[in-house]
Amino acid sequence: MKTEQTVKIQPKQTFPLTIKRLGINGEGVGYFKKQVVFVPGALPGEEVVVEATKIHPKFAEAKIKKIRIKSPHRVKPLCPVYDHCGGCQLQHLDYQQQLKEKRDIVIQSLERHTKLNVGKLEIRDTIGMENPWGYRNKSSFQVGEKAGKVLAGLYGLNSHQLINIDQCVVQHAQTNEATSAIKRILEELQIPIYNEKTNKGIVRTIVTRVGVQSGELQVVLITSQKELPKKELITEEIQKRLPKAKSIVQNINGEKTSLIFGDETLSLAGEDFIQETLGDLQFELSARTFFQLNPTQTVKLYDEVKKAAQLTGKEKVVDAYCGVGTIGMWLADQAAEVRGMDVIPESIEDAKKNAKRHGFTNTKYVPGKAEEVLPKWVKKGWKPEVIVVDPPRTGLDKQLIQTILQVEAQKVIYVSCNPSTLAKDIETLGKKYKVEYMQPVDMFPQTAHVECCVLLVKK
């Protein structure tokens, strides 16, 4: 007979807690009478007094009331709205220690979701940034209005309160400058700002993106309808105040949705795209093109993929979830052939254009799901030696895992942005593949996110 746990934490209960580690979302994790407690802002090694805020069947959430013993790695966050915004979870932790904790988050995921002997795995130190600030090349700030002033920022942590952000410390300076200028233009021209509650008003979101290497700026105004009052005036002012704005577009999203972009995009001025460079490759980025948010670290991540692949010029490579073809093209100069697929047809068109522009004749891109396309190729006698996967946060499609196990490529290189789904997928792939090594890469300093490049070799 199982005895129920008698001690239950009560809402608003105050109790002492020793923080053992960081959770996957960057919160401190401690145990009170064998119950797991998550505490945002608390750091490993700290002794804190907390107050329970939410009780769940298997764990509790709490907030810090007092820090009794402070971590030697605790630092003062640079951002004035850091604790309200929730965009960064680790600004209060010294950067070198952030890198150590991110490696630990990968280890915890493996311990939780796999039967692997984690102590025997080669899990390398996290590759960090020389300057872990001002790295994000794109910002999407919701727009609001208060007493005639135009605000732009993010919705606060667990609330629907818009936090106005003038200078985001992880955003590229040029995107901050652009957003501020556009806020002033909208205010001066008294353009109606969209209000979610009343469903009235026009401008919903300001999206700015900078080509870090090219210096070119892209401005996207997301509106609730096609008609944008004083459209020419707005465009003129943007061009005047932001001379680097090479692409100014309007995107229409009239839906009640948390998705930022709608389906229709209109050009207001300049080109439909800006240029960006990664290593020796150039890319054209249109408003809705997905592109890595931290180009500096992307180069390091893709170099790790290249090192893991160790191509000799004879291999056939599959780039599953290929997007605009970045990873595949990174490898194409050392491969016999690279084939990629993606479910977004526009991405495939971009990938084909990118490959053509760079003079690659050994690449092939098709729209579709990897788990459907790959078996057809194998059936026709085209079998890859290397499969590269870079899936979304949800991890690999179950069918794709089965396809990989059937195709039996010599190597699978898994680029992950979510340690939990990575661990679960490694466990399933473990039937035929063993983990050679894991290389965490910090793509998003000051946040709890960690990318990982894993080399899996056929047993």
Side-chain angles (χ1 to χ4, degrees), residues 2-287:
K2 271 181 100 174
T3 53
E4 277 296 306
Q5 229 174 291
T6 48
V7 182
K8 277 272 180 266
I9 297 170
Q10 299 302 316
K12 301 216 164 192
Q13 185 179 338
T14 305
F15 51 91
L17 199 65
T18 301
I19 304 300
K20 297 290 184 196
R21 53 186 169 82
L22 278 190
I24 200 148
N25 300 313
E27 66 288 78
V29 181
Y31 298 88
F32 182 67
K33 308 210 167 156
K34 294 193 176 156
Q35 268 191 294
V36 182
V37 185
F38 292 105
V39 188
L43 294 174
E46 292 191 326
E47 289 185 20
V48 289
V49 177
V50 301
E51 181 186 303
T53 51
K54 269 192 191 154
I55 312 298
H56 303 264
K58 292 192 172 163
F59 63 93
E61 295 175 52
K63 61 179 181 185
I64 299 174
K65 298 291 280 179
K66 186 183 171 195
I67 302 176
R68 283 183 177 164
I69 294 178
K70 205 163 81 162
S71 162
H73 306 295
R74 182 177 278 279
V75 293
K76 188 179 180 326
L78 271 188
C79 173
V81 293
Y82 162 73
D83 44 353
H84 304 300
C85 162
C88 300
Q89 303 84 28
L90 296 178
Q91 271 193 39
H92 59 297
L93 179 60
D94 168 73
Y95 186 58
Q96 291 312 313
Q97 195 60 27
Q98 284 183 32
L99 298 178
K100 288 178 184 158
E101 294 296 348
K102 289 191 182 196
R103 178 176 179 271
D104 189 58
I105 286 172
V106 173
I107 291 169
Q108 284 178 51
S109 295
L110 292 169
E111 287 172 343
R112 192 172 310 133
H113 301 296
T114 74
K115 298 185 186 72
L116 292 167
N117 181 342
V118 181
K120 287 202 167 154
L121 285 183
E122 184 184 343
I123 303 168
R124 298 176 177 176
D125 291 342
T126 310
I127 296 172
M129 283 190 91
E130 287 73 39
N131 173 16
W133 303 99
Y135 58 82
R136 283 181 68 101
N137 61 0
K138 180 182 178 182
S139 77
S140 307
F141 280 178
Q142 303 306 319
V143 188
E145 193 173 14
K146 199 175 180 182
K149 277 195 83 62
V150 173
L151 315 173
L154 301 172
Y155 287 114
L157 204 54
N158 308 325
S159 85
H160 220 63
Q161 192 77 34
L162 186 67
I163 309 278
N164 186 47
I165 300 170
D166 286 323
Q167 288 294 323
C168 176
V169 291
V170 293
Q171 280 294 149
H172 191 285
Q174 221 173 309
T175 65
N176 280 327
E177 179 200 349
T179 306
S180 296
I182 294 158
K183 276 197 309 199
R184 285 196 297 275
I185 293 166
L186 296 175
E187 207 170 278
E188 288 163 20
L189 297 176
Q190 297 183 332
I191 305 302
I193 301 302
Y194 180 73
N195 180 325
E196 256 193 344
K197 290 196 182 87
T198 61
N199 210 11
K200 289 189 168 64
I202 292 169
V203 179
R204 292 177 76 141
T205 313
I206 299 168
V207 178
T208 60
R209 170 149 64 179
V210 62
V212 174
Q213 296 298 324
S214 67
E216 295 178 1
L217 179 71
Q218 185 171 56
V219 171
V220 188
L221 292 178
I222 294 177
T223 57
S224 59
Q225 58 176 56
K226 201 166 183 171
E227 286 69 45
L228 175 59
K230 306 182 187 170
K231 190 188 281 190
E232 286 77 18
L233 250 163
I234 295 171
T235 308
E236 272 172 40
E237 284 302 319
I238 292 174
Q239 287 176 307
K240 199 159 57 181
R241 298 184 203 191
L242 298 165
K244 286 185 176 169
K246 285 278 190 309
S247 168
I248 305 171
V249 299
Q250 177 190 358
N251 175 273
I252 298 126
N253 183 355
E255 304 295 315
K256 280 208 147 190
T257 170
S258 58
L259 292 174
I260 292 174
F261 283 95
D263 292 334
E264 194 180 356
T265 305
L266 310 169
S267 179
L268 299 181
E271 307 279 351
D272 288 338
F273 53 81
I274 56 170
Q275 298 280 353
E276 182 56 303
T277 307
L278 278 185
D280 300 329
L281 304 178
Q282 272 85 40
F283 295 94
E284 290 181 352
L285 309 181
S286 56

Side-chain angles (χ1 to χ4, degrees), residues 400-417:
L400 179 57
I401 292 182
Q402 293 315 312
T403 305
I404 291 170
L405 290 170
Q406 279 155 14
V407 171
E408 295 195 339
Q410 289 305 308
K411 284 179 184 174
V412 174
I413 299 164
Y414 192 137
V415 180
S416 155
C417 60

Side-chain angles (χ1 to χ4, degrees), residues 280-424:
D280 300 329
L281 304 178
Q282 272 85 40
F283 295 94
E284 290 181 352
L285 309 181
S286 56
R288 293 179 63 192
T289 306
F290 169 78
F291 196 72
Q292 294 282 5
L293 291 166
N294 184 343
T296 310
Q297 291 299 88
T298 300
V299 169
K300 294 182 191 174
L301 180 67
Y302 290 177
D303 278 345
E304 287 305 317
V305 174
K306 203 166 201 172
K307 277 182 211 165
Q310 288 189 318
L311 300 173
T312 63
K314 297 190 181 83
E315 293 84 0
K316 295 187 278 296
V317 179
V318 164
D319 178 10
Y321 306 93
C322 70
V324 297
T326 36
I327 291 184
M329 279 178 245
W330 208 258
L331 304 174
D333 62 339
Q334 295 182 357
E337 188 181 3
V338 173
R339 291 190 180 185
M341 66 289 272
D342 199 286
V343 289
I344 300 171
E346 294 94 64
S347 293
I348 291 298
E349 288 311 306
D350 282 346
K352 286 177 181 170
K353 273 188 227 155
N354 287 328
K356 195 176 174 185
R357 188 169 350 112
H358 291 99
F360 289 124
T361 51
N362 62 339
T363 57
K364 176 177 175 159
Y365 293 100
V366 298
K369 293 178 173 177
E371 58 273 16
E372 288 166 13
V373 175
L374 190 50
K376 285 179 191 161
W377 288 343
V378 174
K379 221 173 195 167
K380 287 181 181 166
W382 191 89
K383 189 177 163 220
E385 283 78 26
V386 179
I387 298 175
V388 182
V389 291
D390 183 6
R393 289 189 64 76
T394 45
L396 293 178
D397 181 276
K398 297 270 181 292
Q399 251 182 297
L400 179 57
I401 292 182
Q402 293 315 312
T403 305
I404 291 170
L405 290 170
Q406 279 155 14
V407 171
E408 295 195 339
Q410 289 305 308
K411 284 179 184 174
V412 174
I413 299 164
Y414 192 137
V415 180
S416 155
C417 60
N418 181 346
S420 298
T421 51
L422 169 68
K424 289 172 190 169

